[in-house]
């Protein structure tokens, strides 16, 4: 069976009343009825960028996931909490169609300036040219329906780890909405929320590892369709964990992502 082309279907479509309805690519691994948080984070960034305007670049996103995000419909709203010549901040809320609060977020945006060349470190991206195909990092899902994994193209650096533990993954994902060009940072969100799913320390048949939040710090807007994540997870016997990821485009690092994890043994 051929994997769907990521461009064939978007994560969401917009209903006449403005609600975002999830398509198959937005479905997460834990429930057939709920979204993967990565595409929803893209909707949050879209709302924040629309609120602030294109003159400033989103440099920090923090999302608190309060409850599952239903595929059946979400409403996303952003409000400005600070706006100066240099920076802006927003607060974003995500409600379901029953007006239950599902997620909150804050963002930071900074003005772009042209300083010319500045001293900087030069860190190469993982090699994409000789990358090899491989399975989606989470091999197990808790439903039999198509979802996020089926609509993501995956590559691994040649000779790279494809089993438990820290690993690097290249990913190319679908657009957020049909007929709308997504911003570079909107396109980064689906991968940014995959750190725990990339760097798991045991398969989901042995331990669940759901993230309760996502913080993305961005210093450069990505310029390529293929994006990479170098991820590691730290699991503790307290049931608390964390994932850390460095995010890349084909030219080098663009930012980092952090997730707090709740660990749960299989029932």
């Amino acid at each position: 069976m051929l994997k769907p082309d990521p461009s064939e279907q978007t994560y969401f479509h917009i209903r006449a009343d403005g609600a975002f309805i999830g398509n198959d690519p937005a479905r997460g691994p834990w429930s057939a009825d709920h979204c993967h948080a990565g595409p929803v984070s893209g909707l949050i960034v879209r709302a924040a960028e629309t609120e602030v305007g294109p003159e400033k670049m989103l440099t920090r996103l923090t999302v608190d996931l309060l409850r599952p995000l239903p595929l059946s419909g979400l409403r996303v709203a952003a409000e400005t909490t600070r706006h100066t010549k240099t920076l802006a901040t927003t607060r974003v809320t995500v409600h379901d169609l029953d007006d239950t609060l599902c997620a909150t977020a804050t963002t930071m945006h900074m003005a772009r300036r042209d300083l010319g060349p500045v001293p900087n470190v030069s860190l190469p991206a993982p090699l994409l040219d000789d990358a090899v195909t491989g399975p989606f990092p989470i091999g197990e899902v808790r439903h039999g329906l198509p979802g996020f994994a089926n609509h993501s193209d995956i590559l691994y650096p040649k000779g790279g780890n494809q089993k438990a533990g820290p690993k690097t993954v290249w990913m190319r994902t679908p657009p957020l909405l049909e007929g709308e060009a997504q911003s570079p940072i909107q396109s980064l969100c689906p991968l940014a929320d995959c750190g725990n799913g990339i760097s798991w320390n045991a398969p989901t048949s042995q331990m669940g590892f759901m993230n309760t939040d996502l913080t993305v710090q961005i210093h450069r807007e990505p310029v390529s369709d293929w994006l990479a994540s170098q991820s590691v997870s730290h699991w503790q016997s307290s049931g608390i964990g964390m994932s850390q990821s460095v995010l890349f485009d084909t030219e080098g690092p663009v930012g980092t992502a952090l997730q707090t994890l709740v660990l749960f043994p299989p029932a």
Side-chain angles (χ1 to χ4, degrees):
M1 179 179 177
L2 293 175
K3 183 165 60 175
D5 184 327
S7 65
E8 288 182 356
Q9 192 175 15
T10 59
Y11 283 124
F12 299 94
H13 62 275
I14 304 179
R15 207 167 64 179
D17 64 356
F20 297 97
I21 312 302
N23 299 324
D24 282 344
R27 182 177 288 110
W30 309 117
S31 166
D33 300 322
H34 298 133
C35 296
H36 190 289
V40 177
S41 297
L43 291 180
I44 290 170
V45 168
R46 177 182 180 270
E49 290 180 329
T50 300
E51 174 73 6
V52 171
E55 295 79 15
K56 293 181 172 66
M57 185 186 106
L58 189 148
T59 58
R60 195 261 304 153
L61 165 72
T62 299
V63 181
D64 288 324
L65 301 167
L66 307 178
R67 51 182 48 84
L69 302 154
L71 277 169
S72 57
L74 297 167
R75 301 188 189 279
V76 183
E79 62 176 345
T80 298
T81 53
R82 183 183 182 192
H83 204 141
T84 70
K85 183 177 179 180
T86 302
L87 60 85
T89 57
T90 75
R91 180 178 184 269
V92 186
T93 56
V94 180
H95 290 81
D96 66 17
L97 298 183
D98 294 324
D99 204 33
T100 301
L101 184 63
C102 297
T104 62
T106 59
T107 65
M108 172 76 74
H109 309 245
M110 296 187 68
R112 298 176 180 85
R113 296 183 291 165
D114 184 4
L115 301 183
V118 297
N120 193 21
V121 296
S122 178
L123 298 175
L127 287 178
L128 178 62
D129 291 344
D130 62 352
V132 299
T133 59
F136 191 79
I138 298 181
E140 310 91 350
V141 295
R142 299 191 175 183
H143 55 76
L145 296 178
F148 185 89
N150 308 98
H151 292 265
S152 301
D153 284 339
I154 300 295
L155 294 173
Y156 292 84
K158 187 176 181 180
N161 178 33
Q162 295 189 23
K163 298 181 180 179
K167 62 179 72 71
T168 299
V169 168
W170 283 99
M171 187 178 293
R172 186 174 61 179
T173 57
L176 197 61
L177 293 162
E178 185 176 358
E180 180 177 303
Q182 63 186 358
S183 75
I185 296 172
Q186 291 170 31
S187 69
L188 186 64
C189 287
L191 173 65
D193 190 60
C194 285
N196 60 329
I198 291 171
S199 60
W200 46 268
N201 295 319
T204 57
S205 58
Q206 299 177 27
M207 183 67 70
F209 40 88
M210 187 177 296
N211 62 303
T212 63
D213 61 9
L214 170 68
T215 296
V216 187
Q217 196 83 29
I218 302 151
H219 57 85
R220 179 172 65 82
E221 292 169 305
V223 297
S224 57
D225 291 336
W226 283 98
L227 301 168
S229 178
Q230 289 182 343
S231 303
V232 58
S233 284
H234 305 278
W235 292 3
Q236 305 301 331
S237 58
S238 60
I240 298 170
M242 183 183 75
S243 77
Q244 299 169 280
S245 303
V246 180
L247 307 173
F248 298 84
D249 66 3
T250 53
E251 295 189 357
V254 298
T256 61
L258 295 173
Q259 297 169 307
T260 305
L261 309 180
V262 56
L263 308 178
F264 49 96

